[in-house]
Amino acid sequence: MDDFGEGYAGLNHLIEIRPDLIKIDLKLIRNIDQDIFKQAVVRATTSMCNDLGIGVIAEGVETREEYLCLESLGISLIQGFLFARPGFERLPEPSYIRRE
């Protein structure tokens, strides 16, 4: 289920569709490291999905701080410009996060 937390991709659809994976909408991800409300919502969503056997992907990660925050919230599937930008007819070279 794409864009979870935005528009029609909410709890009712989660119950009806019962997906294997959800992708948390980038509006919840943007600056999550600076917003305790977003952190609480993503933490609760991740916990709920873990209980239901649903994988969680965070989309739209652009900063190292967002990445580290999401990792601390238990999300290991993460995508965004921090890692690679889209490329036309090729796979982009990924960048990697180094822990200090």
Side-chain angles (χ1 to χ4, degrees), residues 13-82:
H13 281 91
L14 182 75
I15 292 167
E16 292 170 12
I17 296 170
R18 299 179 186 224
D20 295 327
L21 289 166
I22 66 163
K23 189 184 296 186
I24 297 177
D25 187 70
L26 65 89
K27 288 181 184 173
L28 286 170
I29 301 305
R30 187 71 63 242
N31 298 314
I32 190 170
D33 56 298
Q34 301 168 29
D35 190 323
I36 61 170
F37 286 86
K38 288 181 180 182
Q39 291 170 27
V41 169
V42 171
R43 182 183 302 108
T45 299
T46 302
S47 176
M48 174 187 62
C49 286
N50 286 338
D51 290 347
L52 297 171
I54 299 170
V56 177
I57 302 171
E59 70 176 359
V61 177
E62 293 186 354
T63 69
R64 183 176 189 275
E65 292 76 21
E66 290 170 348
Y67 166 77
L68 293 173
C69 181
L70 291 163
E71 185 181 53
S72 76
L73 295 173
I75 299 177
S76 60
L77 300 174
I78 300 173
Q79 69 181 55
F81 287 168
L82 177 64

Side-chain angles (χ1 to χ4, degrees), residues 78-97:
I78 300 173
Q79 69 181 55
F81 287 168
L82 177 64
F83 304 102
R85 296 212 177 252
F88 182 69
E89 294 185 355
R90 69 177 178 86
L91 292 175
E93 289 295 321
S95 60
Y96 298 94
I97 302 296

